[in-house]
Amino acid sequence: MAEVKSTMVPDFEVKFLLNDSQVLDFASSKPNDELRAVFNLPSKAIRMNVQFLDTSSREIYNAGWSPRIRKIEGESGYELTYKKRYPIIDDQADGAIDASDLLTALNLAKDDGFDVTETNYDTQVEWGFQKQTLSISRKKKVKKDSVGKKEMGLPDEDESKKLLTEEIPGKFDNWSFQKWGRSLLSQAVIYGPVLAERYEGTWEGVEVDIEVWPLRSKESEAGMESIVEISFKSDNGNTAGDAHKALEIYLEEKGWLVPRDSLKTQLIMDRYGPQESDDSEEATGSYTTMA
């Protein structure tokens, strides 16, 4: 087993993809009655408008970072997130987390300068169908008098670069060299935005979120597809593992499980951004609407 160097203690977020044709109402693209009943979902969702920034060649994403701007319905201003991801090597067919592999990822993050003593960073294991990823995030709230709780628009490209640069944390800014982050942000374009919906429910006493993300089905086509994800969080790895297995079995029995990992950020990076024409609604800062 790897020697323990890191003092970071992550929490766990389990995520599964759901078959949209089985769990969404065809006409509305919203959770159908059976899904609502099983997971005690409310009638009203919380909307989230999300966009990422990166260079045209995705230099930030390729370095394992994702700077994001999000507007959440019911909250004033914007939420900025700077996330660094470390893959957790998994040699187990059942998708279970090996302690040694997790420690290897934690130690790598420690060697890069991340430490639990910096309490403004959140450490989490994102645990999908099989793959696991260690994510380390710095979140910042930006208040804007003009951006109230009901507004859902996001800033345009110039304002987005300005906001992310003004609030930039040192680790992101000086990742490969001094001022690396702000240098790349100055060249960045918007990937997105995407307007998603989140429903907060419960299952077997566990609080769960179900999110519906309408994404372009292909990079340059007008078609859309709904990415449906169920997730829950736990502070304990063993508890998360038991619930991961139980929920996977239940979803499989219902015929709702999509047996692959959820990669929303990657899909957004692949399908949005500079390859789109300048007159597309998404490129100009408006957001994708849901049916």
Side-chain angles (χ1 to χ4, degrees):
M1 181 173 290
E3 178 186 358
V4 181
K5 293 189 296 182
S6 175
T7 54
M8 291 182 291
V9 179
D11 63 9
F12 298 81
E13 183 176 25
V14 171
K15 302 179 180 181
F16 288 112
L17 283 175
L18 303 182
N19 187 324
D20 64 316
S21 66
Q22 298 297 315
V23 301
L24 297 184
D25 180 79
F26 178 78
S28 66
S29 294
K30 296 180 183 297
N32 61 26
D33 290 342
E34 187 176 8
L35 189 72
R36 290 181 185 275
V38 167
F39 294 106
N40 302 297
L41 302 182
S43 58
K44 181 174 174 56
I46 299 171
R47 294 184 299 166
M48 307 174 294
N49 203 12
V50 178
Q51 64 189 24
F52 297 86
L53 263 72
D54 204 338
T55 64
S56 298
S57 55
R58 307 201 302 191
E59 293 169 81
I60 298 175
Y61 183 73
N62 291 336
W65 282 95
S66 296
R68 179 187 73 189
I69 300 179
R70 182 166 68 171
K71 177 64 178 71
I72 301 175
E73 187 174 25
E75 298 183 10
S76 300
Y78 304 119
E79 177 189 85
L80 311 183
T81 301
Y82 308 79
K83 179 180 287 190
K84 178 71 174 80
R85 290 184 171 92
Y86 293 88
I88 299 173
I89 304 302
D90 175 33
D91 298 323
Q92 303 189 70
D94 62 359
I97 294 179
D98 182 86
S100 179
D101 293 334
L102 174 55
L103 286 174
T104 297
L106 286 167
N107 287 338
L108 181 57
K110 171 72 171 178
D111 291 341
D112 283 338
F114 291 105
D115 194 278
V116 74
T117 57
E118 298 170 289
T119 55
N120 43 17
Y121 282 87
D122 297 321
T123 308
Q124 185 175 81
V125 173
E126 299 173 356
W127 191 345
F129 176 68
Q130 283 192 310
K131 293 184 178 181
Q132 305 91 34
T133 302
L134 174 67
S135 69
I136 302 176
S137 304
R138 178 74 182 274
K139 293 183 179 180
K140 298 192 176 186
K141 295 283 189 179
V142 175
K143 298 295 184 182
K144 292 283 185 180
D145 292 338
S146 59
V147 182
K149 294 182 178 181
K150 294 183 179 180
E151 287 82 4
M152 291 303 299
L154 288 171
D156 62 17
E157 188 173 287
D158 287 341
E159 180 66 11
S160 295
K161 290 192 285 188
K162 180 174 181 288
L163 290 174
L164 285 167
T165 300
E166 288 177 345
E167 300 293 336
I168 194 167
K171 282 191 174 55
F172 173 66
D173 194 16
N174 303 317
W175 183 248
S176 294
F177 52 81
Q178 291 290 316
K179 310 304 181 185
W180 173 85
R182 67 185 65 224
S183 173
L184 293 181
L185 284 175
S186 70
Q187 308 167 49
V189 296
I190 289 174
Y191 288 77
V194 176
L195 183 68
E197 292 188 338
R198 181 177 68 213
Y199 298 82
E200 299 177 346
T202 58
W203 181 76
E204 300 292 330
V206 176
E207 294 182 357
V208 299
D209 288 335
I210 291 180
E211 296 181 357
V212 182
W213 291 70
L215 300 182
R216 293 172 183 165
S217 57
K218 293 184 179 179
E219 290 184 2
S220 58
E221 296 186 5
M224 302 292 292
E225 66 173 309
S226 294
I227 305 299
V228 187
E229 180 187 85
I230 184 170
S231 65
F232 67 85
K233 296 179 181 179
S234 175
D235 292 331
N236 184 280
N238 292 328
T239 301
D242 292 342
H244 180 285
K245 187 173 183 178
L247 182 57
E248 179 182 345
I249 291 172
Y250 180 80
L251 295 173
E252 192 169 30
E253 289 176 346
K254 295 288 288 185
W256 294 347
L257 179 68
V258 177
R260 65 173 185 268
D261 288 290
S262 176
L263 302 169
K264 297 191 304 294
T265 301
Q266 181 178 319
L267 290 175
I268 293 171
M269 298 299 294
D270 288 344
R271 299 179 186 183
Y272 296 78
Q275 72 274 11
E276 300 300 324
S277 62
D278 289 339
D279 60 354
S280 73
E281 289 184 352
E282 285 77 17
T284 58
S286 62
Y287 51 79
T288 306
T289 57
M290 298 187 64

